[in-house]
Amino acid sequence: MMKIKALMVGFIGANCYIIEFDDKSIALIDPGDEGEKILKEFDGGKLKWILLTHGHADHIMAVNMLKEKFDPKIIASINEKEIIENPELNLSRQFGISYSVKADLYIQEGIIKLDNHDITILETPGHTPGSVIYIIGNYMFTGDTLFKDSIGRMDLPGGDKDSMKKTLRRLSEIEADYIVLPGHGPSTSLKREQKNNPYFISFL
């Protein structure tokens, strides 16, 4: 069992997800900014992990503050290492801030365990080279790969249309109907997006 809270953080309005497992351990997905706002939602749980779907500034800007305060393990794709560590590539410098993050664990596709909790990782390049989707139970945390009725931009550093096409093709073949929790905007479901998202239709 787990509880999931969604917070919109930062001036771009990115979604940060707080996952509290039944043992009161907490995983954060994409703490993009406003660390103090995020802290108010912990309800006494222990922050143990920060999972990054990708490395753009609007998804990482509270990481270092939370790392300093709680020392959680920071997890990101090995293919995103250069982006999260480089202010030019993660776009923070464009906003007048030179910000970088270093992960404690650089991961690839597969299953990892956070204590006794299984996390499935799908590599989904297109928005960035190291974009990943995390699947936890019946929930799919898609970052800026997949939104309700849309997908992530491909005109930013590391974006690639051909890679996005392959990613969407792969997502279109998943039979399970996950609840999709994206990096921006409202939640949706994978089956709904497979049927109605115009990019699934035009890209495939």
Side-chain angles (χ1 to χ4, degrees), residues 82-130:
E82 186 178 9
I83 288 180
I84 68 171
E85 294 182 1
N86 187 322
E88 291 288 349
L89 297 179
N90 67 36
L91 308 179
S92 62
R93 191 158 287 163
Q94 293 187 18
F95 300 114
I97 305 167
S98 185
Y99 193 88
S100 66
V101 167
K102 291 187 182 295
D104 300 296
L105 176 63
Y106 285 101
I107 46 87
Q108 294 176 293
E109 180 157 323
I111 296 174
I112 61 171
K113 277 190 173 291
L114 307 183
D115 290 346
N116 296 319
H117 315 296
D118 288 340
I119 313 296
T120 298
I121 298 156
L122 302 181
E123 293 179 341
T124 55
H127 180 61
T128 65

Side-chain angles (χ1 to χ4, degrees), residues 16 35 53 59 73 77 105 120 128 143 189:
C16 170
T53 63
H59 293 260
K73 182 174 286 188
S77 168
L105 176 63
T120 298
T128 65
S189 74

